[in-house]
Amino acid sequence: MQLTVEFGGGLELLCDSVKIHNVNVETPKGVQQLIMKDLLVWVQKNLIKERPEMFIKGDTVRPGVLVLVNDCDWELSGQLDTTLEEKDVVVFISTLHGG
Amino acid sequence: MAESHAKVQKAGGGRFCCICNEKRAALKRPKTLEQICRECFYTVFEEEIHQVIMENQLFKPGERIAIGASGGKDSTVLACVLSELNRRHNYGLDLFLLSVDEGITGYRDDSLETVKRNEIQYGLPLKIVSYKDLYGWTMDEIVKIIGLKNNCTFCGVFRRQALDRGAALLKVDKLATGHNADDIAETVLLNILRGDIARLSRCTAITTGEDGPIPRCKPFKYTYEKEIVMYAYFKRLDYFSTECIYSPNAYRGFAREFIKDLERIRPRAILDIIKSGESFRIATSTKMPEQGTCERCGYISSQKWCKACVLLEGLNRGLPKLGIGRTRVSGKDQKKDIKQSSGMKSIASKQCGSLDF
């Protein structure tokens, strides 16, 4: 599945300072639809190069990291259960850096 | 939480804005849990700040106001919103951007570039004051001498004065800073954790220093960080987001994380902590520091010399530990010494002072 994953608010520093990643994510075997929970595992494994604790806490993003799927707050779409489709744009923004 | 919903809706799927009922909701407001669209969000975000400004009489017509600008998200959004509200509601304010150049290569030089772009984007005149000009030292030079242990103490003390001096140079009536609701809740907790009663009693005030030369105000006192970042993102505002290279920020970072954990469970917690902070009444038996002026530079100080002068004296005499921890300033009176050093100890234990209250 083709997705665009974007990092902002300083999170890009965890992935070689690259903000926009056009990626191809395989749907896990035996699963019909890719959900955000799967994508987080994938992102942590494939895109995050350092200090993963700045991005993940437990099985979800660290509190203070905003997530938008197609420019919509993931709190409106079911957070970890948000289903993903071809060409979706997922944005992660840290709110924790400087003022 | 989500498991009770039989069918999880796709992002942007079925939910309409609960204000206009026309457009798809784009975010959930932490303050009210309302689901609202982008346009309604801009409106309520800006108008709530307008209400805070009016209800608290933060500005008077004709005033010159400096916006403390770091290039980060809060001050960038503050510059954007204040210049818009000033136009829309005819505040009649002369707005300026005021930045401090601490002299931190690879951090402040980059963020100042952002502020310089903001100067053009919002048409606000910019004044930059530097530690090098004011104190003769850059933070890079200070860190070379003192290492990474107490550097945030120097930086925080110096920044506070630098902003006041910059504000005096601009001849402004007031300084507006981008401290948001999350910052203030965090500071209430920190002051409790440190037993800093003097700061606890004033850290929730929306305007401070009205008896001093340059009062400061916080128009974002009730504004959630999440909404500030969402606003900046949706409006594609140009801001700088890198942590200071010298800031370990351990204690404050811990409080911040705690606040964010609370927010996830119950977003109202942030406003409730502020409310608790506002409602504290300090016992009259609590000894509060007396405010005077520094004998050396004339800046407000509760001691003979202000903290900046003590720190600077140490640097210039090659005794950079002066004013940090248990170092003594003058040896005359033993009792006074103890008081002085314990006063200094409390500032030494503070991590990054970028949130001056």
Side-chain angles (χ1 to χ4, degrees):
Chain A
M1 182 185 292
Q2 297 288 331
L3 296 172
T4 303
V5 178
E6 229 181 291
F7 296 93
L11 281 178
E12 67 276 11
L13 298 176
L14 309 184
C15 15
D16 298 329
S17 294
V18 178
K19 286 194 170 181
I20 299 172
H21 302 252
N22 291 304
V23 298
N24 193 358
V25 182
E26 294 290 317
T27 309
K29 284 208 175 82
V31 178
Q32 284 192 331
Q33 271 185 311
L34 190 74
I35 59 173
M36 276 300 295
K37 194 173 181 172
D38 307 318
L39 182 68
L40 285 185
V41 174
W42 190 91
V43 164
Q44 199 183 351
K45 203 170 146 203
N46 294 281
L47 298 180
I48 303 289
K49 304 282 162 59
E50 53 179 297
R51 293 178 289 163
E53 71 280 3
M54 301 289 284
F55 179 66
I56 292 281
K57 186 172 178 182
D59 66 347
T60 186
V61 292
R62 182 183 174 201
V65 173
L66 303 182
V67 186
L68 296 104
V69 181
N70 300 333
D71 270 359
C72 175
D73 187 355
W74 81 331
E75 290 186 39
L76 298 179
S77 57
Q79 296 176 321
L80 288 172
D81 295 319
T82 307
T83 54
L84 294 166
E85 288 164 28
E86 199 65 32
K87 301 251 159 45
D88 275 352
V89 180
V90 180
V91 179
F92 299 101
I93 313 171
S94 173
T95 64
L96 300 168
H97 287 286
Chain B
M1 279 180 273
E3 61 268 25
S4 59
H5 297 276
K7 185 171 171 255
V8 174
Q9 298 217 316
K10 168 74 184 159
R15 306 188 186 200
F16 285 102
C17 169
C18 72
I19 294 177
C20 69
N21 240 324
E22 281 173 15
K23 300 208 178 68
R24 305 271 181 226
L27 83 154
K28 189 171 176 182
R29 298 198 70 193
K31 200 182 278 190
T32 60
L33 306 182
E34 290 171 303
Q35 306 176 6
I36 57 176
C37 72
R38 226 190 254 211
E39 286 71 21
C40 290
F41 169 57
Y42 295 152
T43 309
V44 294
F45 181 87
E46 292 160 3
E47 287 310 303
E48 277 183 13
I49 293 158
H50 172 61
Q51 287 308 320
V52 168
I53 289 171
M54 298 314 284
E55 281 164 20
N56 296 280
Q57 299 172 17
L58 296 190
F59 310 117
K60 293 191 195 84
E63 276 185 335
R64 292 163 68 90
I65 305 295
I67 299 166
S70 66
K73 59 186 176 9
D74 302 302
S75 58
T76 300
V77 173
L78 184 63
C80 172
V81 170
L82 273 191
S83 47
E84 172 59 27
L85 291 177
N86 190 31
R87 261 192 305 272
R88 189 186 298 163
H89 296 289
N90 298 313
Y91 290 168
L93 302 176
D94 271 332
L95 297 173
F96 300 85
L97 297 174
L98 173 58
S99 294
V100 176
D101 182 0
E102 298 93 344
I104 304 175
T105 313
Y107 169 65
R108 189 51 90 208
D109 44 357
D110 290 347
S111 63
L112 284 175
E113 289 309 312
T114 312
V115 183
K116 286 175 191 164
R117 287 196 299 276
N118 291 161
E119 176 183 24
I120 299 162
Q121 287 153 355
Y122 306 121
L124 303 177
L126 165 67
K127 172 83 192 164
I128 301 175
V129 287
S130 74
Y131 284 7
K132 186 72 182 174
D133 290 346
L134 291 177
Y135 310 111
W137 293 79
T138 65
M139 273 314 287
D140 285 341
E141 290 165 349
I142 293 174
V143 167
K144 249 184 223 154
I145 304 244
I146 64 161
L148 290 171
K149 192 103 190 294
N150 293 302
N151 55 310
C152 294
T153 302
F154 282 81
C155 199
V157 169
F158 285 171
R159 183 183 306 101
R160 186 166 184 87
Q161 278 204 19
L163 280 170
D164 277 344
R165 298 226 214 155
L169 288 172
L170 281 171
K171 297 190 171 59
V172 293
D173 300 290
K174 212 171 259 175
L175 176 68
T177 59
H179 295 110
N180 60 47
D182 300 51
D183 294 332
I184 294 169
E186 178 188 307
T187 305
V188 170
L189 286 187
L190 277 178
N191 286 333
I192 293 172
L193 296 176
R194 289 171 179 148
D196 193 333
I197 307 304
R199 281 193 177 78
L200 179 60
S201 66
R202 64 173 185 256
C203 71
T204 53
I206 193 161
T207 304
T208 53
E210 279 173 300
D211 46 347
I214 316 269
R216 297 182 176 208
C217 69
K218 309 182 194 88
F220 285 170
K221 179 181 169 187
Y222 301 105
T223 308
Y224 275 70
E225 189 160 63
K226 174 182 172 180
E227 295 199 352
I228 291 171
V229 174
M230 283 286 190
Y231 188 89
Y233 173 75
F234 285 144
K235 291 224 163 193
R236 300 286 185 261
L237 299 187
D238 182 8
Y239 71 91
F240 180 83
S241 48
T242 302
E243 206 62 69
C244 173
I245 51 173
Y246 295 141
S247 165
N249 220 348
Y251 210 54
R252 188 173 274 281
F254 185 72
R256 164 130 305 202
E257 190 131 351
F258 178 63
I259 296 263
K260 291 289 176 194
D261 283 339
L262 286 178
E263 182 188 15
R264 182 167 281 179
I265 302 164
R266 200 176 68 90
R268 286 269 329 164
I270 288 178
L271 289 183
D272 288 341
I273 292 171
I274 297 176
K275 189 159 181 277
S276 302
E278 287 169 340
S279 309
F280 284 133
R281 291 291 169 269
I282 308 304
T284 46
S285 58
T286 306
K287 200 163 177 295
M288 301 292 266
E290 275 174 50
Q291 210 67 273
T293 49
C294 172
E295 283 181 13
R296 199 164 176 235
C297 74
Y299 191 76
I300 42 164
S301 174
S302 54
Q303 311 281 341
K304 192 169 151 225
W305 282 12
C306 73
K307 280 164 193 163
C309 281
V310 173
L311 294 174
L312 206 51
E313 177 74 4
L315 280 175
N316 291 334
R317 280 173 46 194
L319 302 164
K321 290 261 166 68
L322 207 64
I324 302 282
R326 309 199 65 82
T327 313
R328 289 171 183 186
V329 179
S330 66
K332 280 184 189 167
D333 183 340
Q334 183 72 12
K335 215 173 164 186
K336 194 180 165 195
D337 262 6
I338 292 164
K339 197 177 142 203
Q340 185 112 3
S341 62
S342 66
M344 289 305 166
K345 202 180 169 206
S346 76
I347 63 162
S349 66
K350 283 194 184 68
Q351 296 296 341
C352 181
S354 67
L355 294 163
D356 320 289
F357 280 89

